[in-house]
Amino acid sequence: MFAAYHRVLTKRPILVQSLSTAVLFGAGDVIAQQAVEKQGWQKHDFQRTFRMSAFGGVFAGPVLSTWYRFIDKKVKTTNKFQGLVTKVVLDQFVFAPFFIAAFFTGQGIFEGKSIDEIKNKLSTGYTTALIGNYKLWPAVQVVNFYFTPLNYRLMVTNCVALGWNAYLSVLNQRS
């Protein structure tokens, strides 16, 4: 099974990574609604789960896949430690702030919110999400950038992001 996944991933990396990201963003929302918010299946908001999946497949998957390829190509040093630190710093201080803003904006658009409502969503959720990001993702990305081959980095991120996406989904609902 892994060999088949590897073949397809090698042939169509952005497509495969986008599909897996869509599934795992949706799964994160299911975790948020069922395990965190304890809504039960009768009150489960399937449109919310679809919005999360759509964001994962249409935006997060392609953007993250492209981002990992970009920094892998652009960050070249003879010192492996320096390269690792540079990638993590770029990921956390350039990409993460943009991505979190894009998440709240994208969810607001999918929810049919007005520009003012999206601005409010950003003002109430962005800083909390960014602080939460800095508590989790730098350590994950150190391990990811150091040990994981390029084509599998997004899958590592997606596995950790099951919990993170549940957190973002809850935060998005509260903002």
Side-chain angles (χ1 to χ4, degrees), residues 3-4 14 21 28 38 46 57 60 69-70 84 92 96 110 117 129 132 137 144 156 168 173 175:
I14 294 176
T21 303
K38 302 193 185 312
F46 288 97
R69 281 169 174 65
F70 173 78
L84 174 64
Q92 292 303 300
F110 288 163
E117 289 171 315
W137 288 106
N144 199 18
V156 169
L168 281 180
Q173 286 307 115
S175 63

Side-chain angles (χ1 to χ4, degrees), residues 20-32 36 52 136-137 154-169:
S20 62
T21 303
V23 168
L24 291 169
F25 260 74
D29 181 67
V30 170
I31 292 168
V36 178
M52 287 289 288
L136 172 67
W137 288 106
L154 186 52
M155 184 53 75
V156 169
T157 301
N158 281 338
C159 289
V160 174
L162 267 173
W164 175 251
N165 292 339
Y167 168 75
L168 281 180
S169 181

Side-chain angles (χ1 to χ4, degrees), residues 68 88 136-146 148 156-157 160-161:
Y68 286 149
V88 172
L136 172 67
W137 288 106
V140 170
Q141 294 298 51
V142 164
V143 172
N144 199 18
F145 287 128
Y146 190 77
T148 310
V156 169
T157 301
V160 174

Side-chain angles (χ1 to χ4, degrees), residues 51-83:
R51 287 191 302 266
M52 287 289 288
S53 293
F55 181 82
V58 172
F59 183 80
V63 169
L64 284 163
S65 182
T66 303
W67 169 248
Y68 286 149
R69 281 169 174 65
F70 173 78
I71 60 173
D72 211 58
K73 182 189 278 188
K74 295 297 180 183
V75 176
K76 299 289 184 195
T77 65
T78 55
N79 181 320
K80 283 188 177 193
F81 179 76
Q82 182 182 23

